[in-house]
Amino acid sequence: MDGASQKLGDEFTVRFDDIHVTTQKLVEVVPDKKVVWLVTESNLNFVENKHEWTNTTVSFEIQEQGDQTQVNFTHFGLVPTVQCYGGCSKGWDYFIKGSLYKLLTDGKGTPGLMK
């Protein structure tokens, strides 16, 4: 990851080799409650429309559930009618339900290990 993602207006770029490159801008931050990224640029080399993610938003909403924390994740704009939906949904499942969960519960995630 290149860039920053700490405060409103920060921008960062995520690269998975030359297969997936996206730039996100932090557009909403409610401490301990919500984080929203706007995808300002995308280059997905595994689909026809390489810019499918551009102008979509990625939201993490956080809430306490008793003595646990619930994270609700939504990628607004990633809908069944876009070509990358199947593969991208599987990717998000891996990174949210797998890597992020491991990071939060065990202190070490598994970024970049998706097969």
Side-chain angles (χ1 to χ4, degrees), residues 32 35 60-63 67-73 94-111:
D32 301 320
V35 173
F60 298 85
E61 294 187 44
I62 305 150
Q63 53 188 289
D67 63 347
Q68 297 184 344
T69 301
Q70 179 175 325
V71 177
N72 292 314
F73 168 82
Y94 171 82
F95 287 108
I96 302 299
K97 295 178 183 176
S99 184
L100 180 60
Y101 180 79
K102 288 178 181 179
L103 177 64
L104 296 173
T105 58
D106 300 338
K108 184 165 174 62
T110 54

Side-chain angles (χ1 to χ4, degrees), residues 6-86:
Q6 302 294 314
K7 63 184 184 315
L8 198 61
D10 279 354
E11 292 188 59
F12 60 97
T13 299
V14 176
R15 287 179 178 79
F16 292 95
D17 296 320
D18 66 347
I19 297 169
H20 172 118
V21 181
T22 56
T23 300
Q24 284 76 220
K25 182 176 183 178
L26 194 53
V27 294
E28 185 176 354
V29 179
V30 180
D32 301 320
K33 300 284 183 200
K34 187 175 186 180
V35 173
V36 179
W37 305 331
L38 170 66
V39 180
T40 58
E41 294 180 42
S42 63
N43 189 0
L44 311 175
N45 284 335
F46 55 94
V47 292
E48 190 174 318
N49 178 0
K50 299 180 182 334
H51 307 288
E52 282 186 337
W53 280 28
T54 302
N55 294 318
T56 64
T57 56
V58 178
S59 173
F60 298 85
E61 294 187 44
I62 305 150
Q63 53 188 289
E64 291 183 28
Q65 297 285 328
D67 63 347
Q68 297 184 344
T69 301
Q70 179 175 325
V71 177
N72 292 314
F73 168 82
T74 307
H75 185 161
F76 294 97
L78 182 61
V79 295
T81 56
V82 298
Q83 188 178 8
C84 81
Y85 181 78

